[in-house]
Amino acid sequence: MGATVAAVSSNGEYSFTKPNRERITLLAGLGVEGDVHAGVTVRHRSRVARDPTRPNLRQVHLIHEELFEEVGASGFRVAAGELGENITTRGSICWGCPPGRCCGSGTRPSWR
């Protein structure tokens, strides 16, 4: 089974969680359209306090849905968007791969 998108989420206001959406729009070099963390420079409050001119290297936040099952085994119930991610994936094996590469297929992942 290949990687799939299980859910997409965004929030225009600072909040720990992000509501699930029917769709999101990814903007090259910016992040998720309308999301509080989209932008060329850092958006996370702690990073802005340190240096607001630093590049935003965390424009889109991905979490694999399998993580929710792992923490569920310890008694924690977590659903898509509750950890602030923009894209919740299922079946991805790209964790730990170099940026822009997916170790399983050797190609760039596509999120359309």
Side-chain angles (χ1 to χ4, degrees):
M1 177 178 131
T4 60
V5 173
V8 293
S9 309
S10 67
N11 197 343
E13 300 177 9
Y14 282 102
S15 172
F16 188 78
T17 63
K18 294 183 188 248
N20 295 153
R21 308 288 182 194
E22 185 174 317
R23 70 182 60 171
I24 58 173
T25 301
L26 301 179
L27 303 173
L30 296 174
V32 176
E33 182 177 51
D35 191 74
V36 70
H37 292 117
V40 175
T41 56
V42 292
R43 294 294 193 249
H44 288 83
R45 290 176 176 171
S46 63
R47 289 179 177 83
V48 169
R50 278 185 250 147
D51 183 355
T53 66
R54 302 273 306 170
N56 187 2
L57 303 178
R58 298 179 180 200
Q59 296 171 341
V60 180
H61 186 188
L62 285 84
I63 290 185
H64 54 296
E65 192 174 50
E66 292 86 350
L67 176 65
F68 304 155
E69 296 165 6
E70 290 178 34
V71 299
S74 298
F76 299 97
R77 186 173 176 193
V78 182
E82 290 182 351
L83 295 179
E85 74 277 13
N86 298 111
I87 301 174
T88 307
T89 62
R90 175 68 134 160
S92 176
I93 57 170
C94 296
W95 311 114
C97 295
R101 303 285 299 172
C102 183
C103 300
S105 65
T107 61
R108 294 182 61 89
S110 174
W111 307 107
R112 295 182 189 223

